[in-house]
Amino acid sequence: MADTEHQGRQGLTDGLKTVSYARNRQGRIEPVEGDGWQPVNDVNDQAWREIEQRVALARQTVASGRASCLYYHMVVNQMNPWLLARYSHQSPLTVLLHLLPFFFNRLPLGRLQTYADLFQVAAEELRRGLPPSAGPPLSPGREPEHGN
Amino acid sequence: MEIDFAHKQSAHCESGVLVNLLAHRGLELSEALAFGIGAGLFFAYLPFIRINHLPLVTYRAAAGQLLQRFARLPGFKLAQRTFSSPGQAMAALDALLAQSIPVGLQTGVFWLPYFPKALRFHFNAHNLVVYGKEGDEYLISDPVFPQPVRCPAADLARARFALGALAPKGKMYHFTQVPTDFDRCAALRAGLAATCTIMLNSPFPLIGVKGIRFLGRRLQGWPRRLGGDRAALHLGHVVRMQEEIGTGGGGFRFMFSAFLQEGSVLCADEQLLASAASLTAAGDEWRQFAVMAARLCKNRAQPGDTYEAMAERIQACAAIEEQAYRALVAWGRDAA
């Protein structure tokens, strides 16, 4: 159990060694190196599980035709329509419309390119719809289950 | 082009950048001291601002405050500017690097490719130092990383112009003037006074000790208001903000305690040690809360792990901290 947890944590923070402050024997507080405190790893894990769930849900929504694949990419990049509007220099209303397949499927290539550049994928890929399964490069990319 | 720049890892990004930039100009200072003098300790619980659909909880002062407070100390001068376009911003950065000046930047975290996935959120108040450029890559001293890192120019430009809350707008800064030394004890007093004022006397009830009490009261009602799953997410979020890298543990309380210990030596005053002990106790109490909360988030609650019990711990933190700040205010008054 401990082993699988350790792998999960390494996958999340790439084993990043951070600095935290702790008491030494004389009672002085000093900076020490550590690779994470278990409760923090637990809550980080919880946060990523939540994001994965959101992504899985978004995938379903898009697959069922209730939203365009822009919606999926938006969720993968942890954005909401308002943030996406600012990044793509458009009004939120425009973005909300583009989240619907009817409008999104009629977008000219130039407009698609704006989104493609933002999400670092090819415009063609946006046109094709949902990416296979691994998700675009910015996605968490973690296996959905890692044993704990 | 590479400037000889000593990278030193620290817990918090802004104090880390500050310490590294000052060390480059020949002024040595510990991270904890920089954090305390810059009045970095804070608390606010602002449920109407949402981060990833969860309420904002912060244990540190607003981004840029540490730098601002240092810039106002006698003998220090900070050149700071923002930009309207990435082209201009990157050109200005290159121009400073060409003059062998390491440059501090405010960036978003989400677009920095060297960050581990778990920490890549749309958080825009990260700080780092650029100290060189090789080909199309910038050499970066990011204080939360153990070693210097590299970042492609396009990604750095994106990170400098991240959008959303606290958008950095390409902000960059460097010290144009740094004294050989400064009155550390006086600066420490000023920093302490600012911290105590905001923690005790904020008119806004969601800030400072009042904010901690408010969080305690709200937290108690989460399972009823939000249901079990959402409540656990909110709880996990509070713990992450409190213990995530950058805080040094215990929501910056341990770092502040280290600052007070150092201060007691600097100002030759034993009384600060007592306050340091209180802040450490507060940090321990915050950690106890985090341990209990993490068990609940993992569905491994032990008997006694309830939202009421956690609320009690938070109220205990508020009580310990209030007492500590009041003692520090009294200390400042006596010494003046």
Side-chain angles (χ1 to χ4, degrees):
Chain A
M1 194 68 173
D3 252 349
T4 48
E5 275 181 9
H6 192 67
Q7 280 163 14
R9 173 205 322 170
Q10 295 253 323
L12 276 174
T13 60
D14 298 341
L16 174 66
K17 293 250 185 282
T18 55
V19 167
S20 62
Y21 282 72
R23 229 167 323 194
N24 67 10
R25 287 225 183 96
Q26 287 83 43
R28 292 205 76 81
I29 306 237
E30 295 176 325
V32 289
E33 196 182 72
D35 62 349
W37 186 45
Q38 193 52 45
V40 185
N41 300 324
D42 290 348
V43 289
N44 265 338
D45 213 48
Q46 180 206 26
W48 272 104
R49 238 175 258 270
E50 167 70 7
I51 289 176
E52 277 161 7
Q53 270 175 19
R54 275 182 203 284
V55 171
L57 208 65
R59 183 174 268 285
Q60 274 176 22
T61 313
V62 175
S64 69
R66 278 175 289 146
S68 69
C69 80
L70 183 63
Y71 179 71
Y72 172 79
H73 286 279
M74 181 180 88
V75 174
V76 165
N77 285 276
Q78 298 172 38
M79 294 185 183
N80 57 29
W82 288 265
L83 187 60
L84 180 53
R86 302 196 67 174
Y87 269 112
S88 57
H89 308 290
Q90 304 173 95
S91 77
L93 182 66
T94 316
V95 170
L96 285 172
L97 289 179
H98 291 172
L99 291 176
L100 302 173
F102 178 85
F103 295 97
F104 186 77
N105 294 339
R106 285 163 178 74
L107 278 183
L109 201 64
R111 281 292 194 81
L112 273 186
Q113 195 59 50
T114 316
Y115 290 124
D117 291 345
L118 180 61
F119 298 137
Q120 297 173 338
V121 294
E124 266 312 300
E125 212 174 300
L126 285 180
R127 177 81 82 198
R128 270 203 300 274
L130 277 176
S133 68
L138 270 175
S139 81
R142 196 158 63 101
E143 293 301 315
E145 272 306 322
H146 56 81
N148 50 358
Chain B
M1 167 174 45
E2 183 177 346
I3 304 162
D4 187 19
F5 186 81
H7 169 81
K8 195 172 160 212
Q9 189 183 15
S10 51
H12 179 39
C13 63
E14 196 172 337
S15 47
V17 161
L18 188 60
V19 164
N20 284 343
L21 282 179
L22 290 177
H24 183 73
R25 298 292 299 263
L27 182 63
E28 294 287 343
L29 153 113
S30 75
E31 185 198 4
L33 195 60
F35 180 76
I37 290 176
L41 196 77
F42 185 59
F43 183 87
Y45 171 64
L46 309 174
F48 49 88
I49 302 178
R50 298 266 151 173
I51 294 185
N52 271 336
H53 313 273
L54 296 165
L56 174 79
V57 191
T58 176
Y59 292 77
R60 49 167 273 196
Q65 172 170 320
L66 255 65
L67 286 161
Q68 287 302 337
R69 287 195 70 89
F70 261 84
R72 272 189 260 137
L73 290 177
F76 290 86
K77 270 204 185 115
L78 183 77
Q80 189 171 193
R81 62 184 289 209
T82 53
F83 299 87
S84 53
S85 88
Q88 277 178 2
M90 297 313 273
L93 171 63
D94 289 345
L96 281 177
L97 289 177
Q99 295 170 44
S100 298
I101 299 172
V103 187
L105 298 181
Q106 186 188 333
T107 66
V109 166
F110 190 75
W111 304 107
L112 291 173
Y114 61 82
F115 253 78
K117 294 162 226 154
L119 308 171
R120 283 172 75 176
F121 292 103
H122 288 281
F123 169 69
N124 289 337
H126 187 57
N127 287 273
L128 48 85
V129 177
V130 178
Y131 68 95
K133 189 178 184 184
E134 246 181 49
D136 194 38
E137 278 191 329
Y138 284 95
L139 309 178
I140 291 176
S141 153
D142 191 318
V144 300
F145 283 78
Q147 302 295 333
V149 288
R150 286 162 175 266
C151 179
D155 290 317
L156 187 63
R158 215 177 243 257
R160 291 183 70 187
F161 283 85
L163 297 171
L166 305 170
K169 299 192 182 103
K171 182 169 144 189
M172 68 178 209
Y173 47 84
H174 64 278
F175 281 97
T176 50
Q177 196 186 320
V178 175
T180 47
D181 209 355
F182 63 108
D183 187 348
R184 293 177 187 225
C185 189
L188 173 146
R189 278 174 199 285
L192 266 184
T195 306
C196 292
T197 305
I198 192 83
M199 291 302 287
L200 290 174
N201 302 332
S202 166
F204 202 46
L206 308 182
I207 284 177
V209 172
K210 286 182 221 161
I212 302 178
R213 298 215 161 99
F214 178 72
L215 170 66
R217 287 197 300 273
R218 290 283 283 211
L219 188 138
Q220 219 166 344
W222 280 347
R224 189 168 30 83
R225 272 186 47 234
L226 306 165
D229 288 352
R230 292 287 303 159
L233 272 179
H234 276 60
L235 199 58
H237 180 69
V238 173
V239 174
R240 273 191 316 126
M241 293 300 114
Q242 177 190 320
E243 300 289 341
E244 192 48 280
I245 63 160
T247 66
F252 293 97
R253 268 58 187 166
F254 291 133
M255 205 196 296
F256 197 74
S257 182
F259 157 69
L260 290 173
Q261 287 182 346
E262 205 178 326
S264 80
V265 179
L266 275 177
C267 299
D269 198 317
E270 289 285 309
Q271 229 182 308
L272 284 179
L273 275 183
S275 298
S278 309
L279 256 298
T280 311
D284 286 340
E285 199 68 35
W286 279 112
R287 283 217 142 169
Q288 289 294 326
F289 154 71
V291 170
M292 201 188 271
R295 278 200 301 256
L296 258 156
C297 292
K298 271 230 137 183
N299 285 328
R300 285 193 198 143
Q302 293 175 357
D305 288 355
T306 59
Y307 281 79
E308 282 75 20
M310 283 186 288
E312 256 171 51
R313 289 230 176 257
I314 292 182
Q315 299 297 355
C317 293
I320 300 173
E321 288 195 23
E322 182 171 12
Q323 216 174 9
Y325 302 133
R326 293 217 183 279
L328 284 170
V329 171
W331 173 78
R333 222 181 297 132
D334 293 347

